């Protein structure tokens, strides 16, 4: 809570309007006229998907999910802990909701996931099972879930994350209890329950050629040779800004050459918060390069983003200090990343207008040793998902207190970033933050930059 300083009011209301935030701006109005991603993908023979939360499939969230994407993945609704929290008692409500939404919007559904070491019900993980009992439990689970959605699921992530980083098998309930055979058996049981569904093995950090992806490659090769029904490989692609593997397309191609499909199943690209124009430009380039690598390989059939809006992303809670990992900001405005996806799919998306967001610095009161100032960020024809304002003082002024922003000062350089609650500036809207400072001799207005 800020304190109020008394003193003589000078009546100053001088502003330094500065443009240069084009890469932070997004333009919902222009977005509405763009060709939807699902249509761009279809023209390339691809599917573009997103993970969703069933309860949110209304309003703007539902509108975007239905209009932009041709495939939906339940983020959590089909995991074992969700569908059978108590042994023999099932809850299909959210999974059914997502399937029904997809059917009404002419979308595929990607089932996720049948066999995983995480998000299992406590009755399963805390139980003491013989190998025969564990095998029966797994077979019954797969048969029940796949059978329920027979004919409604285009592809299943049957086995999720079976490997360690060095390419050895992960120590899990399944591996420890059943050995490596659990993978082949799970695929076989899923195929029996729905012969038409495409069956995948899915993992992370396997996007480039490395020890882990090579282990996955060798597994798929051996399964194919043994006649096990494996149809595809899922590359999760939870990536860090600027770290798209240079061997991504080569890796996709080598899996395709085994005679299986490839999907990018959980794409997001996290960056350090608060995001700035440079980071968002790099994120656009990264999304574009990932999608382009898939487009370049005929058997890469699907690119799915793991949540399309920053408000529905797992990243912020999992990687403190990181976020903004999806193509849309928390207010459902498309970010530069959205346009990167569109361009990789051959679209000519309308990019946000330049200079549509500005920052204005003013001094509202001033006394013999100090002053109160403020900066107002305004947008017209665009929107911001986050902001950062920078300026350099020319007469030794010092910020002593700030509110509605996090401000730091090093020498004469000041940088202020949005608080957790006011990063979004809507089209036609504005946000103001204030500060107290000290001065001696003079208090000239600095030049302000946004972004």
């Amino acid at each position: 809570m800020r304190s109020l300083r008394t003193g003589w009011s000078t009546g100053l209301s001088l502003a330094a309007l500065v443009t240069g935030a084009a890469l932070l701006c997004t333009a919902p109005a222009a977005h509405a006229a763009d060709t939807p991603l699902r249509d761009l993908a279809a023209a390339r023979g691809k599917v573009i998907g997103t993970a969703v939360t069933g309860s949110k499939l209304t309003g703007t969230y539902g509108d975007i999910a239905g209009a932009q994407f041709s495939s939906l993945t339940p983020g959590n609704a089909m995991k074992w802990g969700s569908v059978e929290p108590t042994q023999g008692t099932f809850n299909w409500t959210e999974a059914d909701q997502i399937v029904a939404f997809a059917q009404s919007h002419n979308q595929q559904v990607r089932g996720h996931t049948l066999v995983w070491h995480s998000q299992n019900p406590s009755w399963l993980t805390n139980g003491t099972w013989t190998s025969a009992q564990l095998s029966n439990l797994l077979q019954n689970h797969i048969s029940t879930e796949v059978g329920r959605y027979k004919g409604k699921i285009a592809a299943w992530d049957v086995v999720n994350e079976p490997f360690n980083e060095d390419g050895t098998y992960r120590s899990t309930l399944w591996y420890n209890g059943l050995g490596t055979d659990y993978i082949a058996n799970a695929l076989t049981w899923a195929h029996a329950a729905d012969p038409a569904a495409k069956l995948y093995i899915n993992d992370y950090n396997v996007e480039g050629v490395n020890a882990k992806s090579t282990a996955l490659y060798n597994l798929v090769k051996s399964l194919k040779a043994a006649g096990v029904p494996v149809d595809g490989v899922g590359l999760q692609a939870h990536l860090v800004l600027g770290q798209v593997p240079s061997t991504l397309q080569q890796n996709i191609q080598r899996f395709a050459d085994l005679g299986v499909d490839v999907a990018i199943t959980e794409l997001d690209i996290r960056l350090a918060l608060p995001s700035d124009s440079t980071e968002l430009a790099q994120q656009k380039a990264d999304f574009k390069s990932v999608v382009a690598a898939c487009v370049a390989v005929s058997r890469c059939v699907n690119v799915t983003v793991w949540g399309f809006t920053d408000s529905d992303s797992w990243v912020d809670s999992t990687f403190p200090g990181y976020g903004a990992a999806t193509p849309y900001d928390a207010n459902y405005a498309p970010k530069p990343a959205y346009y990167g996806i569109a361009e990789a799919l051959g679209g000519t998306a309308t990019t946000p207008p330049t200079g549509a967001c500005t920052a204005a610095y003013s001094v509202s009161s001033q006394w013999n040793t100090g002053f109160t100032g403020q900066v107002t960020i305004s947008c017209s024809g665009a929107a911001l998902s986050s902001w950062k304002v920078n300026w350099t003082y020319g007469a030794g002024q010092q910020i002593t207190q700030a509110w509605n922003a996090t401000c730091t000062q090093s020498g004469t350089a000041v940088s202020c970033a949005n608080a957790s609650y006011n990063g979004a500036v809507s089209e036609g809207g504005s946000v103001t933050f204030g500060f107290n400072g000290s001065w001696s001799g003079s208090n000239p207005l600095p030049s302000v930059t946004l972004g």
Side-chain angles (χ1 to χ4, degrees):
M1 184 172 182
R2 73 181 178 103
S3 61
L4 297 176
R5 296 289 299 270
T6 59
W8 301 290
S9 174
T10 63
L12 294 176
S13 183
L14 302 174
L17 293 178
V18 181
T19 61
L23 289 175
L24 275 173
C25 298
T26 51
H31 172 63
D34 295 333
T35 302
L37 295 179
R38 62 184 291 172
D39 294 343
L40 295 174
R44 294 292 184 123
K46 309 295 181 183
V47 172
I48 186 78
T50 183
V52 293
T53 301
S55 61
K56 296 182 179 181
L57 285 170
T58 59
T60 303
Y61 182 98
D63 291 343
I64 294 174
Q68 290 291 329
F69 300 98
S70 46
S71 175
L72 300 183
T73 299
N76 292 297
M78 289 185 176
K79 293 171 181 173
W80 200 331
S82 297
V83 300
E84 194 182 3
T86 302
Q87 188 172 11
T89 302
F90 297 91
N91 181 0
W92 305 104
T93 302
E94 186 186 0
D96 286 353
Q97 181 182 20
I98 293 169
V99 170
F101 182 96
Q103 290 177 329
S104 68
H105 290 80
N106 193 29
Q107 295 169 304
Q108 296 182 4
V109 178
R110 184 176 190 90
H112 180 85
T113 176
L114 296 172
V115 188
W116 192 25
H117 64 270
S118 186
Q119 290 186 247
N120 289 313
S122 60
W123 66 262
L124 176 64
T125 56
N126 294 336
T128 301
W129 315 105
T130 66
S131 292
Q133 288 172 326
L134 195 60
S135 181
N136 285 334
L137 286 169
L138 184 57
Q139 182 176 4
N140 289 337
H141 169 68
I142 292 172
S143 299
T144 299
E145 184 158 10
V146 177
R148 178 180 181 83
Y149 295 108
K150 182 179 180 180
K152 299 178 181 180
I153 304 291
W156 280 99
D157 292 327
V158 177
V159 177
N160 199 41
E161 301 174 3
F163 290 108
N164 295 313
E165 296 305 299
D166 63 359
T168 58
Y169 282 96
R170 184 191 291 270
S171 176
T172 68
L173 174 69
W174 312 114
Y175 177 76
N176 297 340
L178 302 174
T180 59
D181 287 346
Y182 86 89
I183 297 174
N185 288 337
L187 291 161
T188 300
W189 294 329
H191 180 70
D194 188 353
K198 298 291 186 180
L199 307 180
Y200 281 69
I201 302 173
N202 189 52
D203 215 326
Y204 66 93
N205 288 351
V206 292
E207 296 76 30
V209 176
N210 55 37
K212 192 174 187 180
S213 66
T214 297
L216 179 57
Y217 176 90
N218 290 332
L219 171 63
V220 172
K221 185 177 181 179
S222 67
L223 292 171
K224 291 283 288 183
V228 175
V230 58
D231 301 298
V233 170
L235 314 180
Q236 291 186 13
H238 294 296
L239 302 175
V240 180
L241 187 72
Q243 297 183 24
V244 177
S246 60
T247 53
L248 173 60
Q249 184 177 325
Q250 173 190 344
N251 194 41
I252 293 172
Q253 187 64 61
R254 72 166 175 162
F255 280 109
D257 291 342
L258 288 177
V260 297
D261 292 337
V262 180
I264 307 295
T265 55
E266 304 180 26
L267 176 61
D268 52 33
I269 301 175
R270 62 186 180 270
L271 48 81
L273 297 174
S275 60
D276 59 30
S277 59
T278 301
E279 288 179 315
L280 293 177
Q282 180 65 55
Q283 188 184 55
K284 174 184 178 180
D286 288 349
F287 268 95
K288 185 174 181 178
S289 68
V290 172
V291 177
C294 182
V295 169
V297 180
S298 60
R299 292 204 70 152
C300 186
V301 297
N302 181 314
V303 176
T304 289
V305 294
W306 202 246
F308 64 85
T309 169
D310 290 342
S311 64
D312 196 39
S313 174
W314 71 303
V315 168
D316 302 68
S317 61
T318 308
F319 301 96
Y322 287 81
T326 77
Y328 287 76
D329 69 21
N331 294 312
Y332 305 121
K335 292 154 53 180
Y338 168 89
Y339 299 99
I341 296 171
E343 290 169 11
L345 293 172
T348 54
T350 305
T351 55
T354 300
C357 296
T358 59
Y361 181 111
S362 63
V363 174
S364 56
S365 64
Q366 185 171 297
W367 53 98
N368 57 345
T369 59
F371 66 96
T372 297
Q374 66 180 30
V375 173
T376 298
I377 300 154
S378 304
C379 291
S380 177
L384 295 176
S385 58
S386 62
W387 47 262
K388 184 185 292 183
V389 179
N390 304 293
W391 67 85
T392 300
Y393 279 127
Q397 301 99 314
Q398 290 287 323
I399 299 291
T400 58
Q401 180 188 21
W403 50 93
N404 296 331
T406 300
C407 293
T408 59
Q409 182 169 355
S410 177
T412 60
V414 178
S415 180
C416 296
N418 60 270
S420 61
Y421 52 83
N422 66 352
V425 185
S426 62
E427 194 280 326
S430 65
V431 167
T432 297
F433 68 90
F435 47 88
N436 289 329
S438 63
W439 67 288
S440 176
S442 63
N443 188 22
L445 294 177
S447 296
V448 185
T449 59
L450 174 65

